[in-house]
Amino acid sequence: MTSYFHEEFETLPRPALEALQLKRLQATVARVYARVPFYRQSLTRAGIVPEQIKTLDDLRRLPFTVKQDMRDAYPYQLFAAPMEDIVRIHASSGTTGKPTVVGYTRKDIDVWSDLMARTFVATGVHQGDIIHNAYGYGLFTGGLGAHYGAERLGASVIPISGGNTSRQLMIMQDFGSTVLTCTPSYSLYMAEEAREAGVDFRDLKLRVGIFGAEPWSEDMRGEIEAKLNLDALDIYGLSEIMGPGVAIECIEAKQGLHIWEDHFLPEIIDPDSGEILPEGERGELVITTITKEGIPLLRYRTRDITSLTREPCICGRTHARLARMSGRSDDMLIIRGVNVFPSQIESILMRIERVEPHYLLVVDRVDNLDTLEVQVEVDERLFSDEIKVLQTLAQRIEKEIKDLLGVSSKVRLVEPKTIARSEGKARRVIDNRKK
Ligand SMILES: [Zn+2]
């Protein structure tokens, strides 16, 4: 039987959910129109006053908000609450220039804690669980977001943060951690360090792993579940919208991530034209927050590529589900005119025996032609085999990539531990064309 944290809200029949969404959307539009000059201007430009939002369909009339708008508003200009009401500030690390800043009122922190607790329960976590929270604490929302949710749920949380893997393993063993939260790539790094330290995950009490903050494939799930001996679930969130806990896979189905629709309105658009796509089609995820006070966002373009379904789920939750993210639109590689996500290559690699879950894609341009090199680690024993065995394997991978993605590549098999490990988000791509 499914456990819920907010049974009534999680299982609201569609008409009641939509009535609640409309009421909250109207209040949000009125709030930003009255309090945020940026929104008053952009709504005015679009010829909209808040009173014109009469149905959920009117959402499509609202202008988009993009990452650049947040950068331009640095640090506080998109805040819809006075500074006296802001109790927490987070920021996402901008790869270039200034970070994106978000502020939370006390109520925002309260809602976030609730939604994160709801998220934990959806993965089968309960009071009495010991949550080993290896997301980074700090300006990044991962650590504190999961932390407050764990406390709200009444579970025991270990605020271990990232890094110092041997200590992580010791604490996991000694403290009897039952739940692990970190990036999927860090979980694999832990598995590798554990093997070397002679720690067997089957002897640990870990039961559930909640992995996010970077895209990962369904095949990577199989790899992680086998290596860490737990149920691995995909969590989604982004600091602009709230942080972790925007959407989560339920343990009952492991089939798409329920986005908490009583707080967030999801849409999928064609990233080029901005047109709303029909249910089931893949495109860019756009989210409108409908309960935030500190920094509500209208139709924020996440640049994450996914699809949406409102098909009923076996867990009984009525909230729409997002397909596993294939990546950010900015991570999409265009190689000789073919669109490729690193996660698609990952899927192919993970299905091949004796290939390890550590890879790096190097893209370059030689004589005006794009080239793709796939570096991937293989089983140590392979290197003692004949060179011919390695060649055959590399060719097989090249062929699979060509057949499935339509792009030519050069596969370079490397020894274990050749590719840099990460305790946070893994670096999967080096694009030399951008230099
Ligand atoms: Zn479900």
Side-chain angles (χ1 to χ4, degrees):
M1 223 189 69
T2 308
S3 309
Y4 305 99
F5 187 70
H6 296 129
E7 182 163 1
E8 187 197 341
F9 286 101
E10 291 175 61
T11 60
L12 264 189
R14 204 82 219 162
L17 181 57
E18 289 180 358
L20 180 66
Q21 287 176 324
L22 177 60
K23 202 176 82 187
R24 290 178 165 179
L25 173 65
Q26 288 168 328
T28 298
V29 176
R31 182 179 182 90
V32 296
Y33 186 80
R35 293 168 177 241
V36 185
F38 166 82
Y39 277 123
R40 178 181 284 265
Q41 283 157 19
S42 69
L43 288 166
T44 305
R45 261 201 311 276
I48 297 164
V49 290
E51 295 70 35
Q52 286 169 312
I53 306 299
K54 294 200 180 345
T55 69
L56 283 178
D57 263 346
D58 292 326
L59 178 65
R60 64 179 65 213
R61 301 174 57 195
L62 301 175
F64 292 117
T65 309
V66 296
K67 182 101 174 170
Q68 190 58 43
D69 295 326
M70 301 197 71
R71 292 203 187 104
D72 294 344
Y74 181 83
Y76 301 144
Q77 285 170 49
L78 279 180
F79 285 18
M83 223 52 208
E84 304 86 86
D85 292 342
I86 298 291
V87 299
R88 175 101 64 84
I89 297 169
H90 279 287
S92 70
S93 54
T95 38
T96 49
K98 305 278 191 191
T100 307
V101 181
V102 288
Y104 302 76
T105 64
R106 196 169 297 284
K107 189 190 143 218
D108 289 336
I109 295 289
D110 212 42
V111 168
W112 188 12
S113 308
D114 269 343
L115 291 184
M116 195 57 222
R118 197 195 268 190
T119 296
F120 275 125
V121 172
T123 65
V125 175
H126 45 72
Q127 215 171 356
D129 265 315
I130 300 176
I131 301 176
H132 188 96
N133 187 20
Y135 281 119
Y137 281 66
L139 280 180
F140 172 60
T141 49
L144 282 172
H147 184 106
Y148 272 60
E151 287 188 349
R152 174 62 51 92
L153 173 61
S156 314
V157 58
I158 306 172
I160 185 96
S161 199
N164 201 341
T165 308
S166 55
R167 186 158 159 268
Q168 300 254 4
L169 292 170
M170 181 192 78
I171 295 214
M172 241 181 239
Q173 280 178 300
D174 296 349
F175 291 16
S177 310
T178 56
V179 179
L180 171 63
T181 56
C182 61
T183 58
S185 50
Y186 189 42
S187 78
L188 284 168
Y189 180 54
M190 281 182 182
E192 197 175 57
E193 292 286 299
R195 209 180 52 177
E196 282 185 13
V199 176
D200 189 337
F201 270 90
R202 281 168 301 186
D203 298 331
L204 301 188
K205 295 212 173 98
L206 284 179
R207 191 182 81 245
V208 175
I210 302 170
F211 304 118
E214 64 184 19
W216 50 306
S217 60
E218 190 59 37
D219 302 276
M220 182 70 100
R221 188 207 308 268
E223 188 85 24
I224 293 175
E225 292 192 332
K227 288 197 161 142
L228 279 83
N229 188 40
L230 43 67
D231 276 304
L233 296 152
D234 193 8
I235 182 173
Y236 177 73
L238 64 172
S239 66
E240 294 92 326
I241 295 303
M242 179 175 79
V246 173
I248 186 71
E249 283 182 319
C250 59
I251 193 157
E252 290 81 8
K254 282 190 187 172
Q255 193 73 250
L257 295 84
H258 289 283
I259 174 161
W260 303 126
E261 279 193 274
D262 47 344
H263 297 268
F264 310 107
L265 302 184
E267 299 171 275
I268 303 291
I269 63 163
D270 177 323
D272 298 319
S273 67
E275 292 291 321
I276 297 172
L277 295 175
E279 204 172 298
E281 275 188 40
R282 241 152 69 105
E284 179 181 348
L285 174 65
V286 172
I287 299 178
T288 299
T289 70
I290 51 173
T291 52
K292 273 174 75 180
E293 293 181 341
I295 179 164
L297 294 180
L298 302 182
R299 303 192 82 197
Y300 182 69
R301 292 188 58 162
T302 65
R303 297 166 303 151
D304 288 315
I305 304 295
T306 181
S307 63
L308 185 89
T309 174
R310 293 197 170 82
E311 296 266 307
C313 183
I314 52 162
C315 71
R317 292 180 183 84
T318 50
H319 298 221
R321 279 173 293 160
L322 304 171
R324 203 172 250 288
M325 306 288 148
S326 11
R328 290 239 147 139
S329 51
D330 347 353
D331 298 338
M332 191 178 75
L333 297 165
I334 302 176
I335 299 165
R336 297 193 194 182
V338 181
N339 297 351
V340 179
F341 280 105
S343 59
Q344 292 176 299
I345 294 178
E346 177 183 295
S347 266
I348 294 171
L349 296 176
M350 292 305 100
R351 272 177 246 151
I352 295 174
E353 268 171 64
R354 308 180 79 177
V355 165
E356 297 293 321
H358 303 283
Y359 65 95
L360 180 69
L361 310 179
V362 183
V363 188
D364 214 331
R365 183 164 288 145
V366 179
D367 299 332
N368 287 315
L369 272 182
D370 297 331
T371 60
L372 167 65
E373 182 180 82
V374 178
Q375 299 177 5
V376 61
E377 292 181 9
V378 291
D379 203 301
E380 201 146 13
R381 288 165 298 162
L382 264 185
F383 278 90
S384 44
D385 276 336
E386 278 178 73
I387 194 86
K388 200 158 175 291
V389 178
L390 285 169
Q391 275 171 353
T392 311
L393 180 61
Q395 281 162 3
R396 186 181 146 209
I397 301 172
E398 284 164 7
K399 183 173 184 305
E400 299 238 339
I401 293 174
K402 179 74 186 168
D403 289 352
L404 289 161
L405 305 177
V407 52
S408 303
S409 62
K410 174 95 196 82
V411 169
R412 196 149 74 84
L413 304 177
V414 297
E415 288 184 66
K417 299 222 150 180
T418 312
I419 291 165
R421 302 293 190 260
S422 158
E423 292 175 342
K425 298 187 193 194
R427 187 175 187 208
R428 304 287 196 201
V429 178
I430 294 176
D431 195 338
N432 292 320
R433 299 173 302 181
K434 288 181 179 160
K435 278 182 185 162

